[in-house]
Amino acid sequence: MAQNHLIDLNDCSVEEWNELIRLAEDIRLNPADYLSRCRGRIMATLFYEPSTRTQMSFQAAMLRLGGQIIGFDNPVNSSVSKGESLKDTIRIVSGYSDIIVMRHPSEGAAKAATLSSLCPIINAGDGGHLHPTQTLTDLVTLANEKGSLSGHTIGLCGDLRYGRTVHSLIKAMCKIGGSKFVLISTPELTVPQYIKDIMDKSGCEYCECNTLEGCIGDLDVLYMTRIQRERFSSPEQYEKQKGIFVLDRQKMKKARRDLIVMHPLPRVDEIAVDIDDDPRAAYFRQAANGMYGRMALILKILDGNITITQPASFERPELSCHNPRCITQQERYLPHCFKEDANGRLACAYCDEALEK
Ligand code: NCD
């Protein structure tokens, strides 16, 4: 079905991102002009996974545009608990609403939802895969705080393996070009290979570092992340990874005066609370930017005023994705769809996992 779904921010052009950033700023400065722009429209928020910021900022965004909201924030309270498939839930809810915002624990779930939806789907996080509207929030923040989206040395610290915000942000910055990345993590929690391939292909330089102290002085932006406990296969594995990277005052002394510290939040213990008053701590400002970015996105999608082009994919019924966290492992009726990845290899069209390593 031809709809403007937002599954991956990289399915829009950089010009579209700049438009969204401009619109978000206009909404922030002139909220009264937008109060009834979505009157009579309904947004469904389907959250199969916990959320505070993403869900509430989407809901607040729609309410501030004069629209209304329906949805669930816990699948236990919906027919999902009776065994309803994603396909059926989406088919039904998309008949009640004009736009669906969904978060799901399986990688590729939002893409899968597009196959049965009658209205646009916005991916609000699909497992450890992508989180395009957090990246939109991050781009608005970079534009506001740094005045530019390129030319930065960006340190990404913590859970780079399962942190979907990291994957979406690196992809976006590679599309813009002109930035360098410092990947700060344990070897177990470095970024997936497909993200390294994207960096290689883009020509953006990157290096890996195993301490914050070792590189903080070189950074323009430090993007801290939570260790994603819910994505580990055992509690022991999580225990081994937690508490390794903590940003505190001591480390901030080594940082540049114009560094900004970002974090998608929620934080656990990776940023000491006494950093919050440091003017370089941008994470609360970043969270506030999210609502305006989402207002801009909802408006543009509902007005049909944005071009989003999903990558071409094709069915190969004889092949299967081997990623255990992929939506195709749970929803068995899904067609086996593939696309070409950055290196021209076959990759799952839902979760991006390459077929052959
Ligand atoms: C992030 C997420 O859900 O991926 N949070 C968010 O959307 N602001 C990061 C996280 O949960 O650690």
Side-chain angles (χ1 to χ4, degrees), residues 63 89 112 120 162 182 190 295 313:
L63 293 172
T89 305
Y162 297 121
V182 182
T190 189
M295 286 172 85
S313 65

Side-chain angles (χ1 to χ4, degrees), residues 49-51 53-54 103 124 127 131 134 164-165 225-226 228 230-231 263-266 294:
E49 253 194 355
S51 169
R53 268 149 298 275
T54 305
R103 169 172 287 189
H131 193 346
Q134 179 61 47
R164 55 194 171 198
T165 64
T225 62
R226 172 180 74 89
Q228 307 277 300
E230 66 277 28
R231 314 239 182 266
H263 191 310
L265 303 177
R294 290 176 174 118

Side-chain angles (χ1 to χ4, degrees), residues 165-277:
T165 64
V166 168
H167 307 160
S168 287
L169 180 60
I170 292 179
K171 284 182 74 171
M173 297 315 287
C174 284
K175 184 160 173 149
I176 294 167
S179 284
K180 283 189 206 159
F181 305 104
V182 182
L183 308 175
I184 310 153
S185 75
T186 61
E188 292 81 10
L189 294 188
T190 189
V191 294
Q193 187 56 44
Y194 88 91
I195 295 289
K196 288 190 174 165
D197 292 344
I198 289 172
M199 290 189 286
D200 287 335
K201 196 94 185 165
S202 74
C204 286
E205 269 176 52
Y206 70 93
C207 62
E208 299 190 77
C209 181
N210 55 15
T211 67
L212 252 173
E213 295 88 329
C215 59
I216 194 165
D218 302 328
L219 306 177
D220 301 310
V221 178
L222 173 57
Y223 196 93
M224 294 295 296
T225 62
R226 172 180 74 89
I227 306 297
Q228 307 277 300
R229 177 171 49 182
E230 66 277 28
R231 314 239 182 266
F232 284 79
S233 47
S234 72
E236 296 73 40
Q237 285 184 2
Y238 168 70
E239 290 297 318
K240 275 194 214 148
Q241 297 292 335
K242 69 170 196 192
I244 296 178
F245 298 99
V246 178
L247 181 65
D248 56 19
R249 274 202 182 159
Q250 210 54 35
K251 292 181 191 113
M252 283 299 273
K253 281 188 190 149
K254 298 191 174 159
R256 292 191 189 155
R257 295 242 302 273
D258 63 350
L259 170 82
I260 59 164
V261 180
M262 294 172 65
H263 191 310
L265 303 177
R267 117 179 95 180
V268 181
D269 56 4
E270 58 279 358
I271 301 182
V273 288
D274 57 10
I275 304 289
D276 295 356
D277 298 327

Side-chain angles (χ1 to χ4, degrees), residues 329-341:
Q329 305 281 347
Q330 268 103 55
E331 309 270 334
R332 294 286 181 178
Y333 55 83
L334 285 168
H336 294 196
C337 292
F338 297 88
K339 60 184 175 188
E340 270 190 15
D341 72 7

